[in-house]
Amino acid sequence: RAALASAPLLLPSRVWAQATAPSRRYTVGCIGMGKQMGGHLRNLLQRDDIQVLAVCDVDTTRREDAKRRVEAAYAKKAGTGSATTCAAYNDFREVLARKDIDIVVIATPDHWHAYIAIAAVKAGKDVYCEKPLTHNVREAVELVKAVRATGRVFQVGSQQRSSKEF
């Protein structure tokens, strides 16, 4: 009996796994398509529980390149050759205005982090923001207030902070 009861624990996860249902997918908008976002985007596109719906950058080349990367990755994943549409925006406020985006990833130049993050949580988005989180203490206090007031999930990047060279 004990072996029978514990059978689910002994079977490999692939036996129980299934494709992520669309209702369980998180939709993402990426703001700031520079070098740091490149790694984030690559990782996001590999996940079945994430769908990147929008990219945003003031630089046309970066913005359009990111859009192409997203659409090509989803076309390849689908195996159809037809791309899932990804919107490309010049203004981050257009990403925040979309009701179908759950999460925004912010990797803009540092002095924009707090401003965009505060606007994002006020727009009802959960946020992952690159470091440094804010430009000064006042911005940090305002961001904390906004996150607490909205109840949104917020995370700041902290890569490379525990390696001895840093």
Side-chain angles (χ1 to χ4, degrees):
R1 261 196 234 231
L4 214 52
S6 64
L9 302 175
L10 302 174
L11 294 173
S13 61
R14 72 184 179 295
V15 171
W16 302 104
Q18 62 180 342
T20 303
S23 61
R24 302 261 337 216
R25 280 198 187 114
Y26 296 102
T27 54
V28 177
C30 298
I31 303 171
M33 303 312 302
K35 183 178 178 183
Q36 188 66 25
M37 186 64 83
H40 293 321
L41 186 59
R42 191 170 34 261
N43 290 326
L44 290 169
L45 293 173
Q46 292 175 9
R47 297 182 57 123
D48 290 332
D49 59 344
I50 296 286
Q51 183 173 359
V52 177
L53 296 181
V55 295
C56 177
D57 201 291
V58 295
D59 182 296
T60 304
T61 303
R62 287 180 175 187
R63 180 176 63 245
E64 293 304 319
D65 180 59
K67 175 182 170 61
R68 277 190 296 277
R69 286 179 54 202
V70 170
E71 290 177 346
Y74 288 138
K76 182 178 179 183
K77 196 180 271 193
T80 62
S82 62
T84 299
T85 303
C86 174
Y89 298 102
N90 181 53
D91 187 333
F92 73 89
R93 292 171 290 201
E94 293 179 86
V95 175
L96 301 184
R98 289 186 55 165
K99 301 294 182 207
D100 60 342
I101 292 180
D102 302 314
I103 302 166
V104 293
V105 178
I106 302 169
T108 58
D110 301 348
H111 63 280
W112 281 101
H113 288 180
Y115 185 79
I116 296 172
I118 290 169
V121 297
K122 286 182 176 180
K125 310 302 181 200
D126 293 328
V127 176
Y128 173 87
C129 187
E130 271 305 325
K131 64 186 173 307
L133 178 56
T134 62
H135 195 288
N136 56 53
V137 175
R138 181 179 167 276
E139 288 179 352
V141 169
E142 294 304 314
L143 178 54
V144 168
K145 285 181 191 176
V147 171
R148 286 182 177 160
T150 60
R152 301 314 311 175
V153 174
F154 189 93
Q155 181 179 344
V156 65
S158 60
Q159 306 90 331
Q160 303 175 336
R161 295 298 161 230
S162 55
S163 300
K164 64 182 178 181
E165 61 273 19
F166 293 101

